[in-house]
């Protein structure tokens, strides 16, 4: 079955950096678009960054220029390098992909990793 396992979260001061990792299994990783979402307390989950199988990337306006998404197909791993972190970046970060199962698209999320940015 599809499994996504995130790591790399933690507590960091504003202006600092963190690198998140997501190890995927149960999918043909190189063929899948991979995404990072985040959810702040009391807010809806939002899409932060995406990387297609081609390597093309897309970012939420709030993180452009500060975050970089990348992938290593040989390791079935997607990364999120987060620089110049702000308190507003605080939240649980989730790795995501979707897969077509019997004609229906199914979304898969990992368990999440907590990122806390102190001011």
């Amino acid at each position: 079955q599809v499994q996504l396992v995130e790591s790399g979260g933690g507590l960091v001061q504003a202006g600092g950096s963190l690198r998140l990792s997501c190890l995927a299994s149960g999918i043909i990783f190189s063929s899948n678009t991979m995404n990072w979402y985040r959810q702040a307390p009391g807010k809806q989950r939002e899409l932060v960054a995406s990387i297609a199988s081609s390597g093309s990337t897309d970012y939420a306006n709030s993180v452009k220029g500060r975050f970089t998404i990348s992938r290593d197909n040989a390791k079935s791993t997607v990364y999120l390098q987060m620089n110049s972190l702000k308190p507003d970046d605080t939240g649980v970060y989730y790795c995501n992909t979707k897969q077509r199962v019997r004609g229906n698209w199914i979304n898969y999320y990992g368990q999440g990793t907590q990122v806390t940015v102190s001011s």
Side-chain angles (χ1 to χ4, degrees):
Q1 75 270 23
V2 179
Q3 280 196 313
L4 303 171
V5 180
E6 303 97 335
S7 61
L11 172 64
V12 64
Q13 286 190 327
S17 298
L18 282 174
R19 188 195 197 204
L20 306 184
S21 300
C22 170
L23 175 62
S25 60
I27 60 172
I28 303 174
F29 183 81
S30 59
S31 299
N32 277 44
T33 291
M34 301 299 298
N35 307 301
W36 284 99
Y37 282 79
R38 70 183 178 192
Q39 188 165 20
K43 293 187 177 180
Q44 287 193 327
R45 195 172 293 189
E46 63 171 343
L47 179 62
V48 174
S50 295
I51 185 165
S53 57
S54 64
S56 64
T57 59
D58 197 15
Y59 298 92
N61 286 335
S62 59
V63 307
K64 276 182 184 175
R66 300 188 297 121
F67 290 12
T68 302
I69 188 171
S70 61
R71 66 191 298 158
D72 185 336
N73 290 337
K75 294 182 178 180
S76 297
T77 300
V78 60
Y79 304 97
L80 186 68
Q81 178 67 44
M82 307 187 293
N83 299 329
S84 303
L85 283 161
K86 305 175 181 180
D88 282 350
D89 295 318
T90 294
V92 180
Y93 283 69
Y94 298 91
C95 182
N96 161 267
T97 192
K98 60 182 180 183
Q99 188 113 306
R100 200 171 180 94
V101 179
R102 289 188 288 276
N104 297 310
W105 286 103
I106 306 296
N107 266 299
Y108 296 93
Y109 292 91
Q111 81 287 352
T113 186
Q114 176 70 45
V115 171
T116 303
V117 184
S118 64
S119 55

